[in-house]
C-alpha cells in the first residue's frame, strides 16, 4: 500500500506514536517530525520524536525541538513513523530498538531510492519535502495547521528546497507554503534562522577548508580534517552546508565537500546543478540522496576517497556534456 490514507488509518488507530528521522538531521527531518508530533498531540495521541544525532543549532528555534532526545525507546509505542529516511541505516541505532519492540512501522519518504522497509510505506519522490507530505496528511487526520505545526512544516519546505531555489519547487509547494504562512508561520523568521545564522566557528572552519579548494573539469571540492576542526574548536557538523556554498561557484557543475570524521572515515557531501545527478555517484559509494544533493561515508583514506569520488564526478560531468552535444 502506498498512499496517505493508509498512513492516516494506521495513525488514527494508535494511542502512542514514536517519530524517527535520519541521523545528522536537517530541516526537513526535524520539521516534518515535529509538525507530525504537534498534529498527533492535537488528537490527544501520545507522540514524541527521537533522533540519533542532536538537533543543529539552526533548527533549535522550532517549537518542540528541546524535547527531542536520542534516548532508547523506553515504552514500546503502537506505531513508529520513520520520516525522510531512505533506509533503516539512515536512521541509525534507534531503528533496531523499534524493530525489537515489534510495533507497526510506517515509512513516509520522498527519496526515489527508498527501500520500502515499513509495514506501511508512502513514498512520493515527486514531493520536494517530506514536510509537504505531512501537510497533505493533516486533513486526513482532521487537523488544520496551527502556528506551531505551520512553522515546523514550512521549515521543511524551505530547507529541502534551499529557500525555494531548487528546480523541484512547484506552484503547489508555494501554494501550500502560502497556506502555512496564513496559518501563522513566519517565512522571514524561518529563512533567518535556517540560512542567515552561522556560527563564527563554522565560518572559521570553512576558511581552513577553502584553503584546500580544487577545481578540475567542472568539479570543485574541498577537504576538512579533525586537525582543522581542533584549530578553531569546530565539530564535524560545522562542515555541513559547505558543499552548497561551493556550488554557488559559477564555473562549477558539481561540488564535493570531504570531511575526515573523528573516527577516520570520510564523509562526502555532494551537490549538483540542474541536469547532473550526484545521487548516482553517491550510490556507487554506498550512500544516497537526491539528484541535486547526496552523500556517502567511505571507509578508506582521504586520498583514496578524493581520487575515486572526484573521478566519478568528472565522469558524471563529461557524460552530461556528451549528452548535450549529441542532442
Ligand atoms: P548532506 O550532503 O547534506 O549530508 O546530504 C544530502 C542528501 O544526501 C540528503 O538527502 C541526505 O539524506 C542524503 N545522504 C547524505 N549522506 C547519505 C548516506 O550516507 N546515505 C544515504 N542513503 N543518503 C545520504
Ligand atoms: Mn527531505
Amino acid at each position: 500500500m502506498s498512499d496517505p490514507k493508509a498512513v492516516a488509518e494506521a495513525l488514527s488507530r494508535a494511542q502512542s506514536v514514536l517519530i524517527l528521522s535520519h541521523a545528522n538531521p536537517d530541516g526537513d527531518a526535524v520539521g516534518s517530525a515535529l509538525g507530525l508530533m504537534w498534529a498527533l498531540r492535537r488528537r490527544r495521541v501520545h507522540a514524541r520524536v527521537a533522533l540519533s544525532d542532536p538537533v543543529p543549532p539552526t533548527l533549535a528555534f522550532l517549537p518542540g525541538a528541546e524535547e527531542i532526545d536520542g534516548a532508547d525507546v523506553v515504552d514500546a509505542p503502537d506505531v513508529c513513523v520513520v520520516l525522510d529516511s531512505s533506509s533503516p541505516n539512515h536512521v541509525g541505532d534507534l531503528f533496531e530498538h523499534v524493530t525489537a519492540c515489534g510495533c507497526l512501522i510506517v515509512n513516509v519518504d520522498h527519496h526515489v531510492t527508498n527501500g520500502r522497509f515499513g509495514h506501511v510505506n508512502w513514498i512520493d519522490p515527486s514531493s520536494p519535502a517530506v514536510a509537504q507530505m505531512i501537510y497533505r496528511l493533516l486533513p486526513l487526520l482532521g487537523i488544520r495547521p496551527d502556528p506551531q505545526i505551520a512553522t515546523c512544516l514550512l521549515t521543511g519546505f524551505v530547507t529541502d528546497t534551499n529557500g525555494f531555489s531548487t528546480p523541484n519547487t512547484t506552484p503547489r509547494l508555494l501554494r501550500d507554503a502560502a497556506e502555512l504562512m496564513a496559518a501563522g508561520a513566519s517565512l522571514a523568521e524561518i529563512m533567518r534562522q535556517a540560512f542567515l545564522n552561522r556560527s563564527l566557528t563554522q565560518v572559521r572552519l570553512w576558511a581552513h577548508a577553502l584553503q584546500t579548494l580544487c577545481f578540475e573539469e567542472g568539479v570543485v571540492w574541498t577537504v576538512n580534517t579533525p586537525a582543522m576542526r581542533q584549530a578553531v574548536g569546530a565539530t564535524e557538523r560545522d562542515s555541513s552546508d559547505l558543499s552548497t556554498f561551493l556550488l554557488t561557484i559559477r564555473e562549477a557543475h558539481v561540488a564535493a565537500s570531504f570531511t575526515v570524521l573523528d573516527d577516520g572515515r570520510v564523509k562526502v557531501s555532494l551537490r549538483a546543478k540542474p541536469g547532473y545527478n550526484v545521487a548516482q555517484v553517491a550510490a556507487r559509494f554506498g550512500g544516497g540522496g537526491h539528484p541535486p544533493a547526496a552523500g556517502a561515508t567511505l571507509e578508506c583514506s582521504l586520498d583514496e576517497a578524493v581520487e575515486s569520488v572526484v573521478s566519478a564526478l568528472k565522469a558524471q560531468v563529461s557524460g552530461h556534456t556528451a549528452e548535450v552535444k549529441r542532442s
Side-chain angles (χ1 to χ4, degrees), residues 21-22 26-29 32 83-85 109-111 127-131 156 159-160 290:
S21 192
H22 57 81
D26 58 18
D28 194 31
S32 61
L83 299 175
D84 202 25
S85 305
D109 187 26
H110 65 147
H111 291 86
S127 185
V130 171
T159 53
D160 254 29
H290 307 282

Side-chain angles (χ1 to χ4, degrees), residues 216-305:
E216 290 173 16
E217 299 170 35
V219 182
V220 66
W221 72 95
T222 59
V223 305
N224 81 83
T225 61
M228 290 179 194
R229 294 195 291 276
Q230 273 157 23
V232 297
T235 63
E236 285 172 353
R237 212 172 44 199
D238 290 313
S239 61
S240 76
D241 256 11
L242 180 52
S243 53
T244 305
F245 173 69
L246 294 175
L247 196 68
T248 64
I249 296 172
R250 190 177 303 127
E251 292 82 357
H253 299 303
V254 298
S257 161
F258 294 88
T259 300
V260 182
L261 300 177
D262 296 333
D263 65 11
R265 293 178 305 153
V266 182
K267 151 109 196 161
V268 61
S269 173
L270 302 171
R271 297 291 182 271
K273 290 201 177 144
Y276 300 94
N277 185 341
V278 285
Q280 276 173 2
V281 175
R284 282 182 43 191
F285 297 96
H290 307 282
T297 300
L298 290 79
E299 303 209 10
C300 61
S301 72
L302 175 62
D303 287 350
E304 285 166 335

Side-chain angles (χ1 to χ4, degrees), residues 15-302:
Q15 309 231 301
S16 70
V17 175
L18 175 70
I19 303 163
L20 303 181
S21 192
H22 57 81
N24 282 322
D26 58 18
D28 194 31
V30 183
S32 61
L34 288 174
L36 179 60
M37 179 188 88
W38 289 119
L40 291 171
R41 286 188 184 176
R42 290 261 308 277
R43 286 177 55 105
R44 311 221 177 282
V45 173
H46 178 80
R48 71 180 192 98
V49 177
L51 298 169
S52 14
D53 288 313
V55 173
T58 51
L59 299 170
F61 76 102
L62 287 175
E66 69 290 346
E67 284 185 41
I68 298 179
D69 62 46
D72 293 358
V73 181
V74 183
D75 302 316
D78 302 327
V79 171
C80 171
V81 184
V82 182
L83 299 175
D84 202 25
S85 305
S86 53
S87 77
N89 289 348
H90 214 176
V91 179
D93 296 344
L94 284 168
F95 192 77
E96 282 160 33
H97 297 290
V98 167
T99 44
C101 79
C103 64
L104 186 83
I105 295 173
V106 174
N107 171 16
V108 178
D109 187 26
H110 65 147
H111 291 86
V112 71
T113 53
N114 188 285
R116 309 186 76 84
F117 52 84
H119 300 109
V120 175
N121 300 283
W122 175 30
I123 314 303
D124 182 4
S126 74
S127 185
V130 171
Q132 188 190 30
M133 297 172 72
I134 300 301
Y135 182 58
R136 295 276 145 202
L137 196 61
L138 296 182
L140 304 180
L141 295 172
I143 299 288
R144 293 161 72 90
D146 61 14
Q148 280 177 318
I149 297 172
T151 300
C152 296
L153 297 184
L154 187 57
T155 298
F157 293 17
V158 161
T159 53
D160 254 29
T161 60
N162 198 19
F164 300 117
S165 71
T166 54
N168 62 354
T169 301
T170 54
R172 184 180 180 179
L173 186 77
L174 293 179
R175 278 195 293 270
D176 290 348
E179 287 171 19
L180 291 175
M181 287 179 77
S186 165
L187 180 61
E189 178 64 4
I190 291 169
M191 290 285 200
R192 193 182 66 76
Q193 295 279 0
F195 296 129
L196 307 173
N197 186 21
R198 296 191 191 290
S199 69
L200 185 59
T201 303
Q202 181 178 45
V203 178
R204 286 193 165 129
L205 177 65
W206 285 19
H208 281 274
L210 286 168
Q211 301 289 319
T212 71
L213 186 124
C214 293
F215 177 80
E216 290 173 16
E217 299 170 35
V219 182
V220 66
W221 72 95
T222 59
V223 305
N224 81 83
T225 61
M228 290 179 194
R229 294 195 291 276
Q230 273 157 23
V232 297
T235 63
E236 285 172 353
R237 212 172 44 199
D238 290 313
S239 61
S240 76
D241 256 11
L242 180 52
S243 53
T244 305
F245 173 69
L246 294 175
L247 196 68
T248 64
I249 296 172
R250 190 177 303 127
E251 292 82 357
H253 299 303
V254 298
S257 161
F258 294 88
T259 300
V260 182
L261 300 177
D262 296 333
D263 65 11
R265 293 178 305 153
V266 182
K267 151 109 196 161
V268 61
S269 173
L270 302 171
R271 297 291 182 271
K273 290 201 177 144
Y276 300 94
N277 185 341
V278 285
Q280 276 173 2
V281 175
R284 282 182 43 191
F285 297 96
H290 307 282
T297 300
L298 290 79
E299 303 209 10
C300 61
S301 72
L302 175 62

Side-chain angles (χ1 to χ4, degrees), residues 318-327:
S318 62
H320 173 87
T321 309
E323 287 289 313
V324 170
K325 278 189 190 137
R326 255 204 308 277
S327 60

